[in-house]
């Protein structure tokens, strides 16, 4: 049995306090006032179970997502073929290789349709039994092969002079292993879709593989929309990668903010997330360039985002394009903006409308007759400092949306004065120390304005994924959001995903460092910050309890110079905490972050609870150093562990390990 980590500690100090903690960070003080707890100098955390300061928002913990770091292409979206539509480059079929000696090239004269208006011409005139010819695709840094798995390969093809067969196979890059193969006996002169199933045997998992389509008989063949899907989450067609979905499901996210971020806006207006071009059969989606520098097929379109919400029981938080693109192109408020406002109204109708509406009927034709529930619409993204016209553009969207959908909550992405948004979206990307220094920023925020949605936030320490130092900064920050979640009603970490296959150089898979979940073609893992999120989002009550603290140890921190001025050093707290209670079960969830590199003995005092059960459990995430982290090779090096605890009471001492985040459950019934 594990050694109990709790021992009783009797403190004579009065428990007559009930203030929200208000002394987070101090400038280096001249002389501290006399502290009644100073005798012991042991940190004291006080919880007043008799004083509820607010309700924990049931929507507090959600997800934010966009196409960045190969989040969908080469990420969540199951498609394994890279550049399946040959549109990623206008002059050359990048990511495709010739097998044998055929002449290959893009052909604008043989389009599949107006959306996929180019095809790959493969002239295999010299193909023979001894010299097969064709094409190969290595996917997104590899094609994953797993044992006993069924893959679905499909493509459109046509040929005037070739009668088949074509061999479709998953083979190792060095050509030594054929993992699965199937034949398409005949190709017709007109475009037609061909589908085969590829079943692997009991082989070891690997990713250094390609998909090949080859012939041993001569001819010229045109291809378009060459696709390979592995088994997907819930076996859904055009579906998602199961391992990543499982990581997300464990977070119990309440909402999904999509489709961005910068990805919503695009570098130019024509490269925005133009939702109407992302719906319907995938072979009718033209795709577009993401502002993060690579091609999106839009296989992950509006309906797929909504289905993702449905699969994980998340509410959609739909961001609509608000007339501003990143390169500076923007649409001024007034008549020029009207078509974009109309487009947003139609998008909302696509999401929520009955099948008797034009766009609800379109959604039904796309395969989803039931409307989705929508409560939140966000107008644009980070529109502060971006053209001076956001206020006017916001007002135009706000008025039109509220007129048709009065119950929708409308989120502004910058301060506005013309209308009162239901929520404002704030973004914070900070160092560990900055996060900790600001962990109390909402305690003092007046409750008179709109509610707050922290739509993007992260402690940016660690690459490609955050390390333990980042998780500590995140957790300190989350105690602040949770303690103030009467005001901060929604929050989502960003970015969510990174493909870690190629971190640097040309054709890199990462555009932004410090991302919550990492993966390559074969495996995925959660960072320490991911586990901190899981702990916070799955273990909290619905009531915020008043807290106070004393004798909190500090360390000196020198903030970075700002606008040429070096600010004075600050004393940073090393312990952060908050307490919430589940009203029904009476469980108090005490979250304690010890960011120090040494263990801390801490007194915990609970007033206003008639009983505290002596035995319970704690969930602890700890690293051996701030640099400690998880990776593809060591996916669970830092992992929450559950411990039994004994000796709990209204007044106890617990040792919190170095660099740790703890959720302690205290049963008051
Ligand atoms: O999360 C990465 C980017 O940061 C988002 O696309 C943008 O909204 C923010 O600037």
């Amino acid at each position: 049995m594990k050694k109990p980590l709790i021992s009783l500690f009797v403190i004579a100090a009065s428990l007559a306090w009930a203030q929200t903690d208000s002394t987070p960070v101090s400038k280096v003080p001249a002389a501290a006032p006399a502290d009644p707890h100073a005798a012991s100098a042991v940190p004291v955390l006080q919880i007043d179970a008799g004083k509820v300061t607010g309700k924990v928002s049931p929507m507090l913990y959600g997800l934010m997502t966009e196409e960045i770091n190969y989040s969908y292409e080469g990420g969540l979206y199951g498609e394994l073929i890279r550049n399946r539509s040959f549109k990623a480059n206008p002059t050359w079929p990048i990511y495709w290789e010739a097998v044998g000696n055929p002449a290959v090239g893009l052909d604008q004269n043989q389009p599949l349709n107006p959306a996929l208006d180019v095809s790959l011409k493969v002239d295999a005139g010299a193909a023979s039994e001894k010299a097969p010819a064709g094409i190969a695709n290595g996917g997104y840094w590899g094609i994953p092969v797993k044992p006993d798995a069924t893959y679905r390969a499909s493509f459109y093809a046509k040929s005037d002079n070739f009668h088949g067969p074509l061999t479709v196979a998953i083979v190792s890059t060095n050509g030594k292993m054929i993992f699965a193969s199937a034949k398409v006996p005949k190709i017709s002169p007109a475009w037609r879709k061909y589908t085969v199933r590829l079943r692997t045997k009991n082989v070891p998992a690997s990713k250094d593989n390609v998909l090949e389509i080859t012939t041993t008989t001569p001819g010229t063949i045109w291809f378009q929309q060459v696709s390979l899907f592995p088994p997907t989450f819930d076996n859904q067609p055009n579906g998602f990668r199961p391992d990543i979905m499982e990581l997300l499901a464990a977070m119990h996210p309440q909402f999904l903010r999509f489709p961005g971020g910068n990805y919503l806006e695009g570098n130019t207006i024509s490269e925005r997330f133009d939702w109407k071009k992302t719906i319907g059969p995938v072979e009718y989606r033209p795709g577009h360039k993401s502002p993060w520098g690579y091609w999106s097929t839009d296989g992950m379109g509006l309906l797929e985002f909504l289905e993702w919400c449905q699969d994980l029981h998340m509410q959609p938080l739909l961001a609509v394009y608000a007339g501003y693109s990143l390169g500076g192109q923007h649409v001024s408020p007034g008549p020029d903006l009207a078509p974009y406002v109309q487009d947003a109204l139609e998008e909302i109708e696509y999401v929520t409308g009955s099948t008797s509406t034009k766009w609800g009927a379109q959604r039904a034709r796309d395969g989803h007759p039931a409307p989705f529930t929508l409560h939140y619409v966000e107008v644009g993204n980070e529109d502060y400092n971006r053209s001076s016209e956001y206020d006017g553009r916001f007002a135009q969207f706000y008025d039109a949306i509220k007129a048709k959908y009065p119950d929708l909550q409308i989120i502004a992405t910058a301060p506005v004065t013309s209308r009162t948004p239901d929520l404002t979206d704030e973004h914070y990307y900070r160092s560990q120390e900055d996060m900790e220094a600001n962990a109390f920023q909402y305690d003092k925020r007046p409750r008179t304005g709109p509610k707050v949605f922290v739509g993007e936030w992260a402690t940016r320490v660690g690459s490609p994924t955050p390390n333990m130092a980042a998780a500590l900064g995140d957790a300190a920050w989350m105690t602040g959001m949770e303690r103030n979640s009467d005001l901060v009603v929604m929050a989502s970490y960003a970015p969510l995903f990174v493909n870690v296959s190629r971190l640097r150089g040309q054709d890199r898979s990462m555009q932004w460092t410090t991302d919550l979940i990492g993966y390559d073609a074969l495996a995925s893992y959660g960072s320490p910050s991911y586990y901190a999120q899981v702990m916070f989002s799955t273990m909290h009550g619905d009531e915020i309890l008043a807290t106070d603290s004393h004798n909190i140890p500090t360390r000196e921190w020198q903030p970075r110079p700002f606008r040429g001025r070096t600010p004075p050093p600050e004393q940073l707290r090393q312990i952060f905490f908050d307490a919430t209670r589940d009203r029904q079960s009476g469980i108090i969830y005490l979250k304690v972050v010890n960011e120090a590199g040494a263990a801390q003995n801490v007194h915990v005092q609970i007033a206003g609870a008639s009983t505290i059960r002596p035995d319970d459990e704690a969930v602890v995430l700890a690293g051996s150093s701030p640099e400690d982290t998880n990776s593809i090779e060591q996916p669970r090096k830092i992992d929450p562990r559950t411990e039994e605890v004994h000796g709990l009471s209204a007044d106890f001492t617990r040792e919190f390990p170095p660099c740790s985040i703890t959720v302690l459950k205290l049963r008051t019934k």
Side-chain angles (χ1 to χ4, degrees):
M1 217 172 91
K2 282 187 190 132
K3 195 166 150 261
L5 290 166
I6 304 288
S7 67
L8 270 178
F9 195 96
V10 181
I11 295 178
S14 154
L15 295 181
W17 38 262
Q19 294 299 307
T20 299
D21 201 316
S22 58
T23 51
V25 180
S26 61
K27 309 288 172 210
V28 180
D35 182 344
H37 305 271
S40 65
V42 172
V44 181
L45 309 184
Q46 297 175 316
I47 305 166
D48 188 347
K51 185 168 180 197
V52 174
T53 60
K55 290 279 173 203
V56 178
S57 162
M59 296 300 291
L60 183 57
Y61 296 104
L63 304 179
M64 185 273 167
T65 177
E66 65 176 321
E67 184 59 89
I68 181 176
N69 301 324
Y70 291 82
S71 284
Y72 318 133
E73 309 274 330
L76 180 74
Y77 181 51
E79 177 64 79
L80 297 179
I81 299 300
R82 190 163 182 198
N83 193 16
R84 70 181 179 190
S85 59
F86 311 112
K87 293 192 68 169
N89 181 292
T91 55
W92 188 248
I94 52 173
Y95 313 122
W96 288 91
E97 300 283 334
V99 178
N101 222 352
V104 297
L106 296 179
D107 190 345
Q108 265 81 15
N109 299 317
Q110 301 288 344
L112 176 64
N113 58 43
L116 300 191
D117 52 1
V118 66
S119 57
L120 182 69
K121 182 179 178 185
V122 180
D123 188 349
S128 69
E129 282 294 335
K130 282 198 177 144
I135 49 173
N137 188 286
Y140 295 91
W141 302 279
I143 298 275
V145 164
K146 294 196 177 163
D148 304 311
T150 302
Y151 296 70
R152 214 184 102 260
S154 65
F155 56 86
Y156 285 80
K158 60 182 264 182
S159 178
D160 299 328
N161 61 1
F162 173 77
H163 304 295
L166 281 175
T167 302
V168 183
I170 301 175
V171 302
S172 60
T173 309
N174 62 15
K176 290 191 176 154
M177 289 289 296
I178 301 174
F179 294 105
S181 90
K183 285 216 182 318
V184 173
K186 205 168 157 0
I187 299 296
S188 67
W191 283 115
R192 235 196 80 190
K193 185 175 181 180
Y194 300 89
T195 303
V196 294
R197 289 192 183 276
L198 299 171
R199 173 105 191 136
T200 59
K201 298 210 167 67
N202 188 16
V203 290
S206 63
K207 64 182 167 70
D208 204 1
N209 310 305
V210 298
L211 178 81
E212 274 188 9
I213 307 178
T214 53
T215 173
T216 52
T217 55
T220 303
I221 311 140
W222 283 266
F223 291 96
Q224 186 39 282
Q225 193 76 353
V226 183
S227 170
L228 179 67
F229 268 82
T232 55
F233 181 77
D234 266 355
N235 288 321
Q236 289 163 359
N238 202 44
F240 310 125
R241 206 171 128 166
D243 56 335
I244 299 178
M245 285 295 269
E246 278 152 24
L247 281 168
L248 297 177
M251 296 174 76
H252 293 196
Q254 298 303 312
F255 67 89
L256 177 73
R257 172 180 176 233
F258 67 87
N262 291 358
Y263 186 60
L264 168 71
E265 304 166 289
N267 280 339
T268 60
I269 294 177
S270 65
E271 288 179 356
R272 72 192 186 279
F273 184 83
D274 194 352
W275 70 271
K276 284 178 186 161
K277 293 184 179 162
T278 74
I279 56 172
V282 286
E283 62 274 24
Y284 285 97
R285 302 182 194 178
H288 74 288
K289 194 167 171 212
S290 121
W292 298 104
Y294 57 91
W295 188 257
S296 168
T297 61
D298 287 327
M300 186 79 192
L302 177 58
L303 187 57
E304 285 74 23
F305 281 111
L306 294 164
E307 287 171 339
W308 178 12
C309 291
Q310 181 175 279
D311 288 342
L312 296 186
H313 313 290
M314 306 180 283
Q315 288 199 31
L317 188 159
L318 178 69
V320 297
Y321 180 74
Y324 183 89
S325 289
L326 294 160
Q329 276 187 346
H330 66 278
V331 187
S332 295
D336 289 351
L337 193 63
Y340 295 91
V341 174
Q342 181 58 27
D343 202 56
L345 292 175
E346 290 173 355
E347 188 172 6
I348 296 168
E349 186 175 287
Y350 184 88
V351 178
T352 63
S354 77
T355 51
S356 60
T357 64
K358 176 178 172 197
W359 289 102
Q362 180 62 48
R363 186 197 60 241
R365 282 195 293 281
D366 294 343
H368 203 287
F372 295 90
T373 302
L374 179 70
H375 294 303
Y376 303 97
V377 171
E378 175 157 26
V379 178
N381 174 58
E382 290 187 348
D383 289 79
Y384 37 82
N385 301 332
R386 294 181 170 184
S387 93
S388 53
E389 297 172 335
Y390 182 66
D391 211 338
R393 288 189 282 119
F394 179 80
Q396 207 169 328
F397 276 90
Y398 182 96
D399 291 349
I401 296 170
K402 284 279 185 193
K404 192 158 180 206
Y405 301 100
D407 293 337
L408 279 180
Q409 304 265 294
I410 303 188
I411 305 170
T413 68
V416 286
T417 51
S418 60
R419 301 290 180 276
T420 305
D422 297 295
L423 297 107
T424 51
D425 182 357
E426 302 179 2
H427 295 178
Y428 300 105
Y429 293 106
R430 290 167 164 161
S431 68
Q432 180 193 356
E433 288 78 9
D434 261 324
M435 260 327 184
E436 292 173 2
N438 285 288
F440 288 79
Q441 77 177 46
Y442 291 114
D443 292 66
K444 299 183 202 98
R445 179 85 65 94
R447 267 42 180 179
T448 45
K451 300 283 187 198
V452 174
F453 166 41
V454 185
E456 294 179 30
W457 68 270
T459 306
R460 292 194 70 195
V461 192
S463 177
T465 47
N467 59 19
M468 193 62 210
L472 293 166
D474 290 347
W477 171 248
M478 283 191 283
T479 62
M481 291 199 291
E482 197 168 89
R483 189 173 52 248
N484 290 282
S485 85
D486 60 310
L487 173 68
V488 182
V489 292
M490 302 168 93
S492 42
Y493 186 102
L496 184 59
F497 294 140
V498 60
N499 186 316
V500 299
S501 300
R502 184 167 299 161
L503 300 179
R504 276 170 281 280
Q506 257 207 323
D507 188 33
R508 59 184 175 273
S509 59
M510 176 175 73
Q511 286 75 47
W512 180 285
T513 56
T514 320
D515 309 289
L516 201 64
I517 292 172
Y519 45 80
D520 63 11
L522 206 51
S524 54
Y525 69 97
S527 61
S529 290
Y530 163 83
Y531 287 109
Q533 289 266 326
V534 171
M535 288 166 66
F536 271 72
S537 62
T538 59
M539 290 181 284
H540 63 80
D542 52 356
E543 297 177 329
I544 306 162
L545 299 181
T547 53
D548 202 353
S549 61
H550 304 276
N551 300 343
I552 300 298
T554 60
R555 66 172 161 115
E556 189 167 299
W557 167 58
Q558 176 58 63
R560 272 174 310 179
F562 182 65
R563 292 194 180 138
R565 200 182 66 84
T566 303
E570 290 182 14
Q571 289 298 317
L572 267 192
R573 288 176 70 110
Q574 295 199 286
I575 296 175
F576 299 84
F577 78 111
D578 80 307
T580 60
R581 177 178 53 203
D582 181 65
R583 202 155 64 95
Q584 216 178 357
S585 65
I587 298 177
I588 295 176
Y589 295 90
L590 169 61
K591 296 187 173 115
V592 181
V593 183
N594 175 20
E595 70 99 76
Q600 295 277 358
N601 259 332
V602 175
H603 294 332
V604 178
Q605 301 175 332
I606 305 157
S610 52
T611 166
I612 307 272
R613 287 208 214 161
D615 305 317
D616 217 303
E617 64 175 32
V619 181
V620 182
L621 186 75
S624 48
S625 76
E627 292 74 34
D628 229 0
T629 199
N630 292 340
S631 61
I632 287 282
E633 294 75 27
Q634 289 186 290
R636 300 198 79 145
K637 188 173 178 208
I638 296 181
D639 202 10
R641 60 174 198 277
T642 304
E643 295 172 357
E644 287 178 15
V645 287
H646 305 284
L648 295 169
S649 70
D651 192 335
F652 63 88
T653 301
R654 176 180 168 87
E655 185 183 275
F656 291 89
C659 299
S660 68
I661 303 162
T662 301
V663 182
L664 193 53
K665 294 179 192 165
L666 302 157
R667 253 163 250 265
T668 61
K669 277 187 183 169

